[in-house]
Amino acid sequence: MTSNILPRPRLPKVICCRIIVLVAGLLGCIAVRGSAQPSLPITFKYVPRPADNFVRIYVPGEFNGWNISVGSPAIMSFDTTRSLWTKTVDLVIGQTYQYKFNQHLNQSGTSVLWLSDPANPRINPAEFNNSLITIEDPMVFEMDRRTDASNRVTGVSAGVFSSSPIVELSYEINGDTQPGGLELFDPESGIFSGELENPVQAGAQFKLSAVTENGDTLTAIIGTLPVEVVDLPRPPGTADGVSFADAGPTVVTFSLFAPGKQFVHLIGDFNDWELSDEYVMNRDSVNADSVYFWLTVDGLSHGVEYAFQYLVDGSIAVADPYSEKLLDPAHDTELGSVYPGLKPYPSGKTQHIVSVFRTAPENFEWEVLEYDRPPQSELVIYELLIRDFISRHDYSTLIDTLDYLERLGVNAIELMPVSEFGGNLNWGYEPNFAMAPDKYYGPSVDLKRFIDACHRRGMAVILDVVYNHQAGEAPFSRLYNTSLTGDPGGAPTSDSPWLNTVARHPFNVFNDVNHESKATQYWLDRTNAFWLDEYRVDGFRFDLSKGFTQVNSGNNVELWGRYDATRIRLLKRMADRIWETDSTAYIILEHFAEDREEEELAAYGMDRGYPGMLFWNNLNHAYNEATMGYHSGGGSNFSRSYYGPGGRNWDLPHVISYMESHDEQWLMLKNLRFGACEASPGGGGRCDHSDAGYNVRDLPVALDRQKMAGAFFFTLPGPRMMWQFGELGYGHGPNGRDCLRPSNESFGDCPAGTPTRTGVKPIRWEYYADPLRRKLYSTWAALLKLRADHEAFRSTETAVSLNLGGAIKSIALVHPSMSVAIIGNFGVTSSAGSSPFDAPGIWYDFFSDDSLLITNPDTVLTLAAGEFHLFTNRRLDPPEPGLITVSSEPLATPTAYRLDVESFPNPFQNTIGIRYTVEEAGSTTLMLFDSLGRQLKRVDHANKSQGAHVETLDLSGVASGTYFVRVTTPGGFRTVPVTKTGR
């Protein structure tokens, strides 16, 4: 392959060093103490960063058992003279150690922050980015530069260690010897530290030289000598990242937005990863805040993948922020057959993640070209984490599960973050590259196949995206970083175009994104448009959207949640750009701010024909209190699950209610561990004994209560969401390992030994083969089919009445097409409550296919513990029999009994026969009612014998229409509809 650089004036030859830290010298040893191996006292130093806010700091590692407890000997001391933290440890010469810094953020040490060493470029990505140190004698360690708010270097420090005294020491900046030398060195701690009279740019080269008494020499270099950069405008149409020229796919322009940087080398497969003048990128200085480095490369091969990086200011090797594919030296080896044919990482030629692009990329042939998304008010979303859903964790296998999800009745799938994140076994909220699908889930083409397959089934695909923060390996984190080489241990500097030096809210993790920045907004808009256009996703769930603000609420959660006009402006701006790309795309916010802020955003854009925004609505606590059987203080009142009057009191159905999500404990876990029982209905007593009576902690009972919760959840109008395997009663499981442990594990709900909160959870497809759990799946599926088939359960025209305060809970739905009455006993003892029927008449029990005559809608009904019913005033096709447990206790108004009753002929003209069976001899009654519940005819028998009987009714005197015949026997009663066609 030949490579030509266009356009590039020839430059004078400049020698460039790509050495980040170089140590030269002979190894020596010190006196041996007894039989111990030779060691050297090494001082670890930590220079405070602008974002630091800690109580104390430790240096735990393999040399001290990683001890970070309060009072641990790993604690560091503050050196007031040099304004840094130090800790001296004797370490064995020739040994390599892993270590990290650990900040205690509070006095008790329950809140901590782990940091890689910002001054040490050596890390072990496979072991949580632990820093590495190999002990040599002599050695230079943690050479570091201090910077000001403008990222100019104001001082330099380093550890210089030797068993022989240091007799000479000097340092240079860009080849110029600086004043001060040995007098800036403290031989007791081994620390050299000096301030600069005149601050210099961060890209400058610093060189430290030392000589020991026995003649050993040491040299350490940070950075490279500056190179000559050509100022030249970018070609028209060039975008950040990789742009293909009109001349063809083998001509590529690379562009990096990097204001404040001095020079950038392009390195990659096309130049064998070597630095050279012809690959120094041109600079396009639009203004001080908008500086681009760019270079056009010609002569690339057609249809070939190339890996590349940018080497910024000679020290920061970084992948392109807009990469669509990446290679990871630490984690790609774990992918195996999930990602076949992966290009190998250029080992030995560079470090950190590298970008990959392909000349002449192949186009994906979409099968579904026109797709009508479900109305957002009717969404039933299934949230899933691929890692914990299917053992092969790839899109191809996920496609095979769509039959299961389609039978369940969902119409949208929400994928937890799938863009490139830290490591492999990750929830995805450690974002690094927003436009690159993470390879752990398979090739990007398979993600497109998955989306296409969902659309064929009428299912929308929603991506969970993370724009509140950036993790340590993200290029935005590494380009402007207090670490000299942009390593994850550093913090953002004040000149970052994207990140804040200090988080603006209390829930932030990693590096906080500045959403007021134009650079951030360009990245955000381009990324959203990319997923909508390239992958045809149907919308986004924006993680931690309340963090899209520059208003600094510090650690005040209440302040953070108040109405924030700047946050509203930023989110409206983002929504406008999304709807300009796709006018019906879903915008879902994990917000949890004041209702008035959410309502304003919910209505935004609707006056222009856009759908408005949706909001996560967490009802986990209330539904779980109900399923566990606890009702004091109104904690089990889940009325806010409904968007309208009596619920959240919104006009718009723009809240996505859920009983479970990835952030919430599974209902079943708490049912089985903490549920109430008949012996202790109010809690506080023991329920784990054989004479507890009705006991929520019994698996069959707990599953039945999940069915009841579903009946009070999926039937309410407005969008709904469920979390993976909730339909099978996931939670607790064998050995209690199906459990979500909160991040502060000291008060978690989970038994000891279960996975961490974000740790890998057991995949329980075997639950689907369990008849008890399968009935829960089938019950929820029946409810979702009911919802899909009948407007009453999803229409904004449905009038909803809620009575959800106590143990007996009820919902009444009135729609022009049908009325619905749902009642259930969430208590653990038999109880009575007002019925939810809106009118007298015949009501049909959906699950039992029985009917009930209601003459007085105010009837008080008595239900056994856990008993529930869903009645409609129209007979509907029932689901498969036996899904729910039928109580042996009758309702106060007689519950319909499953009596074998047959009418013939039906329809009839004048007379009709009623065939029925008496299981126990006794009195029987036949009654005829009209559609309003009025009794028209009655036939009593004082003593009917056991067995089959036929009763003929002469109905020649009644008008044509539908009537109801109720047969009552000693064993119960049943009501059946009959139709007369003429007189």
Side-chain angles (χ1 to χ4, degrees):
M1 182 204 76
T2 59
S3 177
N4 300 311
I5 313 302
L6 303 176
R8 181 74 199 170
R10 299 302 298 172
L11 300 177
K13 185 70 174 178
V14 179
I15 299 175
C16 303
C17 297
R18 195 174 157 228
I19 301 171
I20 296 177
V21 175
L22 171 66
V23 178
L26 300 174
L27 291 179
C29 62
I30 63 172
V32 178
R33 299 186 182 99
S35 60
Q37 295 175 276
S39 62
L40 196 65
I42 302 297
T43 298
F44 292 85
K45 65 180 180 65
Y46 180 81
V47 179
R49 311 291 161 175
D52 284 339
N53 184 24
F54 56 84
V55 175
R56 64 185 76 89
I57 186 168
Y58 296 79
V59 56
E62 293 179 325
F63 39 77
N64 58 20
W66 298 95
N67 190 343
I68 61 167
S69 61
V70 176
S72 162
I75 192 168
M76 304 183 78
S77 302
F78 189 67
D79 183 335
T80 56
T81 303
R82 297 172 181 82
S83 297
L84 46 80
W85 297 80
T86 65
K87 176 66 180 179
T88 302
V89 183
D90 277 1
L91 300 178
V92 175
I93 296 170
Q95 179 71 46
T96 297
Y97 299 90
Q98 296 191 75
Y99 71 97
K100 244 179 181 177
F101 292 118
N102 182 273
Q103 297 177 351
H104 279 201
L105 306 181
N106 58 10
Q107 287 292 343
S108 63
T110 57
S111 178
V112 301
L113 177 66
W114 289 90
L115 297 172
S116 305
D117 188 344
N120 180 4
R122 291 187 63 198
I123 61 170
N124 183 359
E127 291 289 337
F128 310 104
N129 288 326
N130 291 339
S131 296
L132 297 171
I133 176 176
T134 299
I135 309 305
E136 300 175 340
D137 182 17
M139 67 179 292
V140 176
F141 176 54
E142 290 183 327
M143 191 168 177
D144 195 13
R145 294 179 290 193
R146 290 185 288 276
T147 57
D148 61 15
S150 300
N151 202 31
R152 298 179 305 167
V153 180
T154 61
V156 63
S157 63
V160 185
F161 309 106
S162 171
S163 58
S164 178
I166 304 296
V167 294
E168 295 181 20
L169 196 149
S170 63
Y171 74 104
E172 303 172 358
I173 301 177
N174 291 338
D176 297 329
T177 301
Q178 301 299 305
L182 197 59
E183 64 271 23
L184 302 177
F185 177 67
D186 174 22
E188 182 175 348
S189 65
I191 293 178
F192 166 84
S193 180
E195 301 298 317
L196 305 183
E197 291 184 4
N198 299 307
V200 298
Q201 293 298 323
Q205 184 197 74
F206 286 74
K207 178 179 178 180
L208 178 71
S209 301
V211 179
T212 69
E213 189 177 67
N214 64 10
D216 292 330
T217 61
L218 298 89
T219 301
I221 297 173
I222 302 176
T224 68
L225 290 172
V227 300
E228 183 176 345
V229 177
V230 173
D231 288 296
L232 202 63
R234 293 189 300 172
T238 299
D240 288 358
V242 175
S243 299
F244 292 98
D246 294 338
T250 61
V251 181
V252 176
T253 296
F254 301 84
S255 178
L256 176 69
F257 182 74
K261 301 302 181 182
Q262 304 304 300
F263 58 94
V264 180
H265 287 86
L266 180 66
I267 55 177
D269 292 340
F270 35 74
N271 60 10
D272 200 28
W273 300 88
E274 295 292 335
L275 299 185
S276 65
D277 290 349
E278 63 177 341
Y279 284 92
V280 174
M281 301 180 77
N282 304 300
R283 180 172 54 207
D284 183 359
S285 300
V286 179
N287 55 54
D289 295 329
S290 296
V291 179
Y292 301 87
F293 291 87
W294 67 274
L295 194 65
T296 300
V297 178
D298 192 4
L300 301 176
S301 296
H302 191 278
V304 173
E305 283 191 326
Y306 290 91
F308 74 97
Q309 280 179 324
Y310 306 112
L311 183 64
V312 179
D313 286 344
S315 61
I316 302 175
V318 66
D320 191 283
Y322 297 93
S323 300
E324 297 178 28
K325 184 176 179 179
L326 302 144
L327 300 178
D328 185 331
H331 301 102
D332 285 355
T333 56
E334 304 167 2
L335 298 177
S337 61
V338 169
Y339 202 107
L342 181 63
K343 179 181 175 66
Y345 183 86
S347 300
K349 296 182 178 181
T350 188
Q351 300 179 62
H352 295 287
I353 294 173
V354 303
S355 299
V356 175
F357 72 95
R358 178 188 174 93
T359 58
E362 298 176 349
N363 291 323
F364 180 77
E365 295 295 332
W366 294 92
E367 294 185 14
V368 182
L369 301 180
E370 299 292 334
Y371 171 62
D372 293 327
R373 293 168 179 145
Q376 62 182 29
S377 64
E378 299 180 9
L379 282 171
V380 179
I381 301 170
Y382 193 92
E383 186 195 18
L384 66 85
L385 171 62
I386 301 174
R387 182 197 75 183
D388 292 347
F389 189 61
I390 45 177
S391 58
R392 188 169 163 80
H393 57 77
D394 67 351
Y395 299 114
S396 291
T397 307
L398 190 60
I399 292 172
D400 295 337
T401 69
L402 291 180
D403 284 345
Y404 170 89
L405 295 174
E406 186 176 24
R407 289 195 304 271
L408 180 60
V410 301
N411 59 18
I413 297 173
E414 181 177 302
L415 298 176
M416 281 178 68
V418 298
S419 61
E420 188 74 28
F421 46 72
N424 287 328
L425 301 179
N426 197 301
W427 267 14
Y429 298 108
E430 189 178 336
N432 289 324
F433 294 85
M435 289 170 54
D438 196 284
K439 300 186 298 298
Y440 187 68
Y441 299 142
S444 59
V445 67
D446 288 346
L447 174 56
K448 293 180 179 179
R449 288 179 52 240
F450 169 74
I451 295 169
D452 211 24
C454 288
H455 288 173
R456 279 198 303 273
R457 297 167 183 266
M459 295 179 183
V461 177
I462 299 165
L463 293 188
D464 192 344
V465 291
V466 190
Y467 299 142
N468 172 79
H469 54 268
Q470 291 281 281
E473 281 291 349
F476 295 158
S477 297
R478 298 190 59 237
L479 276 170
Y480 298 84
N481 193 291
T482 55
S483 168
L484 300 177
T485 55
D487 287 302
T493 55
S494 60
D495 57 345
S496 170
W498 301 282
L499 305 179
N500 295 313
T501 57
V502 177
R504 295 302 197 266
H505 60 87
F507 278 25
N508 187 73
V509 292
F510 301 107
N511 300 314
D512 188 36
V513 170
N514 176 0
H515 282 271
E516 292 283 5
S517 163
K518 297 299 181 185
T520 295
Q521 293 172 10
Y522 169 83
W523 162 70
L524 193 66
D525 297 341
R526 180 172 165 187
T527 301
N528 289 334
F530 169 77
W531 287 106
L532 291 168
D533 288 339
E534 182 68 19
Y535 285 85
R536 302 194 180 188
V537 302
D538 300 291
F540 307 98
R541 178 264 190 189
F542 291 95
D543 178 66
L544 209 60
S545 59
K546 194 163 60 177
F548 288 28
T549 179
Q550 284 297 97
V551 174
N552 194 341
S553 55
N555 292 319
N556 190 328
V557 176
E558 189 275 332
L559 175 61
W560 181 39
R562 292 179 192 169
Y563 184 92
D564 182 344
T566 66
R567 177 167 57 214
I568 291 172
R569 172 177 50 80
L570 289 167
L571 290 168
K572 287 180 176 179
R573 187 213 65 80
M574 180 185 72
D576 284 338
R577 302 293 83 76
I578 288 174
W579 288 327
E580 286 171 7
T581 301
D582 188 328
S583 61
T584 64
Y586 307 127
I587 298 176
I588 303 170
L589 305 182
E590 185 203 26
H591 212 60
F592 305 122
E594 282 190 18
D595 262 21
R596 64 176 179 137
E597 179 172 324
E598 294 191 359
E599 286 187 273
E600 181 176 338
L601 291 169
Y604 183 69
M606 296 186 71
D607 58 336
R608 293 172 287 147
Y610 297 133
M613 302 186 216
L614 298 165
F615 292 84
W616 263 28
N617 188 33
N618 182 2
L619 274 299
N620 174 263
H621 176 79
Y623 273 102
N624 214 169
E625 288 291 294
T627 59
M628 286 190 293
Y630 301 118
H631 307 285
S632 62
S636 70
N637 187 335
F638 42 75
S639 59
R640 280 176 65 87
S641 181
Y642 174 55
Y643 73 88
R648 287 189 66 146
N649 295 312
W650 283 28
D651 294 329
L652 298 172
H654 286 201
V655 290
I656 299 176
S657 297
Y658 57 88
M659 298 187 290
E660 295 174 333
S661 77
H662 69 268
D663 268 334
E664 311 302 331
Q665 186 60 272
W666 287 283
L667 300 186
M668 278 292 288
L669 181 284
K670 296 180 76 171
N671 290 347
L672 294 171
R673 291 204 73 201
F674 310 115
C677 63
E678 189 174 1
S680 180
R686 290 182 61 236
C687 288
D688 51 356
H689 51 92
S690 59
D691 60 347
Y694 180 89
N695 190 350
V696 176
R697 301 184 194 187
D698 292 339
L699 178 62
V701 174
L703 288 168
D704 281 343
R705 295 179 74 88
Q706 294 297 96
K707 300 171 192 175
M708 180 165 54
F712 280 79
F713 177 71
F714 296 114
T715 53
L716 283 170
R720 311 274 104 184
M721 186 183 80
M722 70 180 85
W723 168 232
Q724 65 185 30
F725 293 136
E727 71 281 2
L728 294 176
Y730 193 97
H732 207 290
N735 303 316
R737 293 184 59 80
D738 305 0
C739 191
L740 182 81
R741 184 186 294 273
S743 55
N744 185 344
E745 297 183 4
S746 62
F747 57 83
D749 298 321
C750 307
T754 53
T756 59
R757 181 168 178 264
T758 60
V760 176
K761 304 298 188 299
I763 298 171
R764 302 294 192 194
W765 280 105
E766 67 269 23
Y767 286 174
Y768 190 59
D770 182 331
L772 285 176
R773 295 179 184 274
R774 181 71 172 268
K775 284 186 177 181
L776 173 59
Y777 170 93
S778 298
T779 300
W780 283 14
L783 290 165
L784 288 174
K785 185 177 187 306
L786 197 65
R787 178 186 178 91
D789 291 347
H790 301 282
E791 285 187 277
F793 301 101
R794 49 189 168 82
S795 172
T796 56
E797 297 181 15
T798 300
V800 178
S801 298
L802 305 173
N803 183 7
L804 304 174
I808 297 289
K809 300 181 187 295
S810 62
I811 296 174
L813 308 175
V814 179
H815 183 268
S817 64
M818 184 170 64
S819 292
V820 182
I822 306 164
I823 188 167
N825 182 3
F826 284 87
V828 292
T829 58
S830 180
S831 189
S834 299
S835 74
F837 302 107
D838 70 296
I842 302 295
W843 289 79
Y844 300 90
D845 193 323
F846 173 66
F847 284 103
S848 69
D849 196 26
D850 290 328
S851 57
L852 182 67
L853 175 65
I854 294 297
T855 58
N856 180 4
D858 296 328
T859 299
V860 174
L861 304 181
T862 300
L863 285 80
E867 181 180 358
F868 71 97
H869 298 270
L870 190 159
F871 295 102
T872 58
N873 67 348
R874 288 174 42 201
R875 184 187 177 278
L876 308 176
D877 290 334
E880 62 182 274
L883 290 183
I884 65 173
T885 302
V886 178
S887 171
S888 60
E889 298 183 30
L891 293 170
T893 298
T895 302
Y897 175 77
R898 189 68 194 182
L899 178 70
D900 289 331
V901 175
E902 181 184 1
S903 60
F904 62 92
N906 192 14
F908 68 96
Q909 289 189 344
N910 292 313
T911 61
I912 185 171
I914 306 297
R915 182 185 294 113
Y916 60 96
T917 301
V918 177
E919 294 184 355
E920 180 182 344
S923 61
T924 63
T925 302
L926 275 71
M927 290 184 287
L928 179 72
F929 299 91
D930 65 13
S931 59
L932 296 178
R934 294 174 296 192
Q935 180 178 314
L936 303 180
K937 193 174 186 69
R938 179 179 179 124
V939 178
D940 291 300
H941 297 282
N943 188 18
K944 273 283 185 184
S945 62
Q946 182 182 19
H949 299 271
V950 175
E951 194 87 29
T952 301
L953 300 179
D954 181 1
L955 302 178
S956 57
V958 299
S960 300
T962 299
Y963 297 88
F964 300 90
V965 176
R966 186 168 75 180
V967 179
T968 303
T969 73
F973 74 89
R974 186 166 187 217
T975 305
V976 295
V978 296
T979 302
K980 183 176 182 183
T981 58
R983 289 185 181 273

